[in-house]
Amino acid sequence: MYTPDYRHEYKHCINLSDYYSLRPRLQTVAITDPNTGPDGRYHVRSLYFDNDEDKALREKIAGLANREKFRIRLYNGDSSFIRLEKKSKANGLNEKHSAPITVEECQRMIDGDIDWMEKSPYTLIVELYSKIRFQRLKPKTIVDYWREAYVYPAGNVRITFDSDIRTGLFSTNILDPNLPLILTGEPGLLLLEVKFDHFFPDIMRDIIQTGERCSASFSKYAACRTYG
């Protein structure tokens, strides 16, 4: 049986000056994520599900304490490693549950062919099947960006910088390498995310101080939905 593992998660909108100040400080104590490429980043593309009433979007904007959203996620365009994920929030804490899917299964979800999901060995896929049926979820919006990530073992801390956040236009085909994309938000702004388990070490707390930025409720999904 799957047991949720909830974590703390905070988000800060920062500018390039903040980034160039924080990055070298992080590199002195934290470990670069092993999945990063030669330039220290990796590419993330997600396809989010919502219904015609924009359930996930409205719950985010309203700031509900308990909410969830489903997405398909692809890293560095590698179709051999695709994940269905459910991101949940409960009383201020966050949790992510995932299950592997194949290229064929991903394409069938995009096309609305879902009958096979009911018999999947993965409970998350079966759960999404039921919510497609009863909540009328469907592929809604693509979120595309580059991520630079650092980890610090004590507290299981993960610090990420997300940049060049874009959304798909006219299509929800996450598998399309030529998908038209448009930049969201203001040029030069990045999203700093801080995640940790039960405690946040003082050394990391001191390192990420910018002096002016405060925690902000920011959603890449909500930002991208302003375009459709």
Side-chain angles (χ1 to χ4, degrees), residues 70 84-86 97-99 117 122-129:
F70 288 85
L84 171 66
E85 298 179 346
K86 180 177 77 167
H97 183 194
S98 65
M117 298 172 64
Y122 296 101
T123 57
L124 183 61
I125 294 177
V126 176
E127 180 183 354
L128 178 57
Y129 168 80

Side-chain angles (χ1 to χ4, degrees), residues 190-201:
L190 297 88
L191 178 64
L192 168 67
E193 292 191 2
V194 180
K195 302 174 185 177
F196 58 94
D197 287 347
H198 305 296
F199 76 100
F200 191 39

Side-chain angles (χ1 to χ4, degrees), residues 56-215:
L57 179 62
R58 291 176 181 274
E59 290 177 350
K60 169 61 185 177
I61 293 173
L64 297 188
N66 300 297
R67 58 183 187 267
E68 66 182 22
K69 55 179 177 279
F70 288 85
R71 67 192 180 201
I72 296 172
R73 178 156 284 190
L74 181 68
Y75 296 93
N76 293 321
D78 182 5
S79 59
S80 68
F81 186 84
I82 308 175
R83 291 290 184 269
L84 171 66
E85 298 179 346
K86 180 177 77 167
K87 189 79 177 289
S88 304
K89 193 176 188 73
N91 300 316
L93 297 176
N94 292 269
E95 190 267 342
K96 184 171 69 175
H97 183 194
S98 65
I101 58 174
T102 66
V103 171
E104 179 186 2
E105 290 169 341
C106 178
Q107 189 63 60
R108 292 175 76 176
M109 286 185 186
I110 295 170
D111 295 338
D113 176 7
I114 64 169
D115 289 343
W116 62 273
M117 298 172 64
E118 185 179 15
K119 298 178 176 62
S120 172
Y122 296 101
T123 57
L124 183 61
I125 294 177
V126 176
E127 180 183 354
L128 178 57
Y129 168 80
S130 68
K131 290 178 178 177
I132 290 174
R133 287 296 192 193
F134 297 106
Q135 295 182 6
R136 294 176 291 109
L137 296 183
K138 62 183 181 182
K140 196 79 171 184
T141 300
I142 284 179
V143 178
D144 184 285
Y145 57 94
W146 287 91
R147 168 164 285 180
E148 182 177 340
Y150 299 89
V151 294
Y152 188 77
N156 191 22
V157 178
R158 183 173 176 83
I159 308 287
T160 58
F161 298 102
D162 294 342
S163 60
D164 196 25
I165 302 170
R166 297 175 179 267
T167 186
L169 290 177
F170 318 122
S171 174
T172 56
N173 188 358
I174 190 175
L175 301 172
D176 181 3
N178 300 312
L179 181 74
L181 298 168
I182 186 171
L183 186 68
T184 66
E186 298 180 29
L189 288 184
L190 297 88
L191 178 64
L192 168 67
E193 292 191 2
V194 180
K195 302 174 185 177
F196 58 94
D197 287 347
H198 305 296
F199 76 100
F200 191 39
D202 288 341
I203 186 172
M204 297 301 292
R205 190 183 304 274
D206 292 340
I207 281 175
I208 66 167
Q209 293 301 316
T210 62
E212 297 179 359
R213 310 299 167 202
C214 59
S215 180

